[in-house]
């Protein structure tokens, strides 16, 4: 849902939910009065610096290895335009629109802090593009995450000066035409403004912000899927009791166990086999709180890093008005985000990995405690959930490759001036794909779990598991005779991503951890 009022950008208090609202809910943003005041003061300091006899990086010098090359005052504007043109050399398929929209918001917010020296007019144009659906086309390859996301941010910035390309209402146009279609006019950059647009971590942070929101929903959805499977396999609730987890009081483990226990509360299925002779369940059930919980705790670290980055000043140089100084620095380096994005991939990959093992137990007649092979009716003629398990196995195996950490790589650039880089953009691209694969895998478990629970009728699952089954059925009818399930899997995965699955279950059992 779009927000009724625009998000006020102060540079200090942007939230993950604000980023999601802009990228997915059509929310807009505007500069606060205090941000305007800080930006104006910083701009005045930059303008005083343009005539200084000493070098001020990016104001009267070249870039990278050309830092010692002086630029005369009459060419400072041209320097900024040529910076955007030279850096806009990214390649590959474009970023998803949601990532670009998030990066636009994040760039505006970091400029709003007033430490970059950009004019208010520049941020206003960026926010006007956001409000009017001008979405720059930004190739997704070309950033090494050193001086931030140089190439992607250059492509993002070009339409502001009437160059590059952008989409308006789905139509790809030249930058000037895209602005005109939205009733906007390009700006002429002043000293340092090109550098202020490209120095920063906003594409890495966009992956992190949107990825954390998705991953939090995925973690709850994984607990829901686990509860359905626990019911279907007639497992034990004992491993989820709070007394167990009080003895290893990790927050994620505690919360995951509490979720599953609440979801199976009132289960007639579990009551019917309370006194069965099976001593303990397989690890994918019995250790689910420990595995899901470890992922949750890792996500908490990711969220903390990303939430800080949303309101960080990542430009170089930084403009300090009170101290009357412009300081070269390394806040643009993406290493904190690179680590966090690799951790995001690892945490979500494990949620998918254990989900795939539970899917295997549901479909394998040697492991499913009496369920029909592959949950198929008239097995042989029908294959049931045989091949969806293959798909889950494929996705989980792909994730194993994608979870190789990008953040441990580095390659020197700019003739050795930028001699250590973060590879944070690569980490973001990998994490984004891992997230999608994990959502699809958990969706398959939800579909299989719903099918399996129905095969135990007339015994009914707990209220939360029943709500999950009912929601899945609202998206995908029960599989009787074989049919293509690709669309069903994608639809259920989309409900994990947009939060509607979790919302439907919480409407029945209350808020889950």
């Amino acid at each position: 849902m779009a927000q009724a009022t625009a998000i006020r950008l102060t540079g200090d208090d942007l939230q993950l939910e604000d980023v999601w609202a802009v990228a997915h809910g059509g929310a807009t943003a505007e500069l606060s009065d205090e941000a305007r005041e800080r930006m104006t003061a910083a701009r005045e300091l930059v303008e005083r610096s343009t005539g200084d006899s000493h070098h001020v990086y990016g104001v009267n010098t070249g870039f990278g290895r050309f830092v010692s090359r002086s630029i005369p005052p009459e060419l400072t504007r041209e320097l900024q335009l040529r910076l955007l043109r030279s850096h806009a050399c990214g390649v590959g398929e474009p970023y998803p629109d949601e990532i670009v929209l998030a990066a636009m918001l994040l760039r505006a917010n970091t400029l709003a802090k007033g430490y970059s020296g950009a004019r208010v007019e520049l941020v206003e144009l960026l926010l006007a593009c956001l409000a009017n659906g001008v979405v720059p086309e930004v190739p997704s390859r070309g950033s090494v995450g050193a001086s931030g996301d140089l190439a992607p941010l250059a492509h993002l910035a070009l339409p502001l000066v009437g160059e590059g390309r952008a989409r308006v209402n789905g139509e790809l146009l030249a930058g000037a035409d895209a602005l005109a279609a939205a009733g906007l006019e390009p700006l002429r950059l002043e000293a340092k403004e090109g550098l202020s647009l490209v120095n920063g971590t906003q594409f890495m942070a966009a992956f992190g912000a949107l990825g954390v929101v998705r991953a939090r929903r995925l973690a709850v959805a994984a607990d829901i899927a686990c509860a359905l499977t626990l019911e279907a396999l007639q497992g034990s609730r004992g491993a989820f009791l709070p007394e167990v987890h009080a003895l290893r009081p990790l927050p994620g483990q505690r919360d995951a166990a509490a979720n599953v226990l609440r979801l199976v509360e009132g289960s007639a299925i579990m009551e019917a086999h309370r006194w069965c002779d099976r001593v303990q369940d397989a690890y994918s059930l019995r250790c689910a709180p420990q595995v899901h919980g470890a992922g949750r705790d890792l996500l908490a670290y990711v969220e903390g890093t990303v939430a800080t980055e949303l309101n960080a000043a990542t430009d170089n140089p930084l403009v300090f008005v009170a101290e009357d100084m412009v300081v070269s620095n390394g806040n643009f380096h993406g290493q904190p985000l690179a680590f966090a994005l690799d951790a995001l991939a690892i945490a979500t990959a494990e949620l998918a990995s254990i989900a795939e093992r539970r899917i295997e137990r549901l479909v394998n007649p040697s492991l499913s405690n009496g369920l029909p092979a592959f949950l198929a009716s008239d097995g042989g003629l029908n294959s049931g959930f045989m091949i969806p398990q293959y798909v889950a196995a494929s996705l989980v195996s792909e994730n194993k490759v994608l979870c190789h950490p990008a953040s441990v790589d580095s390659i020197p650039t700019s003739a050795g001036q930028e001699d250590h880089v973060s590879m944070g953009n690569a980490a973001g691209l990998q994490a984004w794909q891992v997230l999608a694969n994990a959502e699809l895998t958990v969706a398959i478990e939800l579909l299989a779990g719903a099918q399996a629970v129905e095969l135990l009728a007339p015994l009914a699952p707990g209220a939360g598991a029943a709500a999950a089954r009912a929601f899945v059925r609202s998206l995908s009818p029960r599989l009787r005779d074989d049919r293509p399930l690709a669309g069903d899997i994608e639809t259920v995965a989309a409900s994990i991503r947009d939060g509607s699955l979790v919302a439907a279950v919480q409407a029945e059992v209350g808020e889950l951890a």
Side-chain angles (χ1 to χ4, degrees), residues 214-237:
R214 285 173 62 176
R216 290 191 309 203
R217 293 169 176 171
L218 175 66
V220 181
D223 293 341
I224 294 168
C226 177
L228 261 181
T229 300
L230 186 69
E231 296 263 24
L233 295 175
Q234 303 170 66
S236 171
R237 61 194 295 275

Side-chain angles (χ1 to χ4, degrees), residues 1-11 13-33 101 105-106 108-109 112 127 130 311:
M1 296 289 293
Q3 295 192 191
T5 58
I7 297 163
R8 290 179 69 256
L9 295 186
T10 67
D13 52 15
L14 193 68
Q15 304 291 317
L16 292 168
E17 291 75 16
D18 297 329
V19 182
W20 186 271
V22 167
H24 286 280
T28 58
E30 62 185 16
L31 276 173
S32 65
D33 290 341
L101 292 169
L105 175 69
L106 296 176
N109 191 56
L127 293 177
L130 199 59
N311 297 292

Side-chain angles (χ1 to χ4, degrees), residues 217 219-228 231 258-265 442 446 450 462-475 492 495-496 498-513:
R217 293 169 176 171
V220 181
D223 293 341
I224 294 168
C226 177
L228 261 181
E231 296 263 24
N259 280 351
V260 174
L261 203 58
R262 189 193 305 183
L263 291 162
V264 300
E265 187 175 344
V442 172
L446 286 163
R469 185 208 62 79
F471 182 80
V472 169
R473 283 291 164 260
S474 74
L475 304 177
V492 175
S495 77
I496 296 172
D498 66 23
S500 56
L501 165 75
V502 172
V505 175
Q506 289 184 150
E508 181 63 33
V509 300
E511 187 174 357
L512 296 166

Side-chain angles (χ1 to χ4, degrees), residues 154-485:
H155 283 279
L156 184 147
L158 274 177
L160 302 178
V161 298
E163 299 189 14
R165 300 197 298 180
R167 279 188 298 282
V168 180
N169 297 321
E171 183 180 3
L172 185 61
L173 301 171
D177 294 336
L179 290 180
L184 303 172
E185 294 183 359
L187 278 182
R188 185 177 183 185
L189 297 178
E190 298 289 346
K192 195 185 177 295
E193 287 188 323
L195 189 59
S196 294
L197 285 167
V198 303
N199 250 328
T201 60
Q202 280 64 52
F203 277 90
M204 289 178 275
F207 277 124
L210 300 181
V212 164
V213 174
R214 285 173 62 176
R216 290 191 309 203
R217 293 169 176 171
L218 175 66
V220 181
D223 293 341
I224 294 168
C226 177
L228 261 181
T229 300
L230 186 69
E231 296 263 24
L233 295 175
Q234 303 170 66
S236 171
R237 61 194 295 275
F240 300 87
L241 293 173
E243 293 84 353
V244 172
H245 304 287
L247 299 178
R248 195 190 199 188
L250 294 165
Q253 178 177 326
R254 175 200 62 212
D255 291 346
N259 280 351
V260 174
L261 203 58
R262 189 193 305 183
L263 291 162
V264 300
E265 187 175 344
S267 169
I269 296 172
M270 289 194 167
E271 184 63 27
H273 67 80
R274 178 187 289 190
W275 307 113
C276 71
D277 59 1
R278 197 163 72 250
V279 176
Q280 56 187 18
D281 295 318
Y283 283 11
S284 58
L285 296 174
R286 182 163 34 113
C287 301
Q290 289 77 10
V291 176
H292 289 199
R296 284 169 167 264
D297 290 339
L298 192 52
L299 289 174
Y301 146 69
V302 176
E303 182 171 348
T305 298
V306 172
T308 299
E309 193 75 5
L310 300 187
N311 297 292
T314 56
D315 199 354
N316 177 50
L318 289 170
V319 179
F320 292 88
V321 174
E323 295 81 4
D324 194 36
M325 62 183 184
V326 181
V327 181
S328 291
N329 72 98
N331 271 4
F332 49 62
H333 201 290
Q335 200 68 49
L337 284 171
F339 282 153
L341 289 165
D342 279 337
L344 175 64
I346 291 168
T348 51
E350 280 304 285
L351 293 175
S353 178
I354 196 169
E356 186 278 327
R357 287 294 79 202
R358 291 192 295 262
I359 297 166
E360 164 68 6
R361 301 196 79 80
L362 287 169
V363 302
N364 187 334
S366 300
L367 304 173
S368 65
N369 296 323
L371 293 171
F374 305 108
L375 308 177
S377 59
D378 197 6
L381 180 62
N382 288 313
S383 295
F385 278 80
M386 180 189 297
I387 306 305
Q389 187 270 326
Y390 286 33
V391 175
S394 169
L395 295 168
V396 167
S397 291
E398 181 180 2
N399 282 353
K400 295 172 186 175
V401 176
L402 292 172
C403 282
H404 178 85
S407 58
V408 300
D409 189 20
S410 180
I411 188 167
T413 58
S414 193
Q417 175 75 5
E418 299 164 5
D419 56 353
H420 182 277
V421 303
S422 75
M423 293 300 176
N425 187 65
L429 291 165
Q430 290 180 175
W432 201 246
Q433 186 61 56
V434 170
L435 258 173
N437 291 349
E439 289 162 348
L440 291 162
T441 303
V442 172
I444 293 170
E445 183 182 5
L446 286 163
L447 286 162
Q451 179 93 352
V453 162
E454 289 168 344
L455 293 171
L456 300 180
L459 294 175
R469 185 208 62 79
F471 182 80
V472 169
R473 283 291 164 260
S474 74
L475 304 177
S476 171
R478 181 173 175 175
L479 183 64
R480 299 185 188 278
D481 291 336
D482 284 346
R483 69 174 190 273
L485 286 176

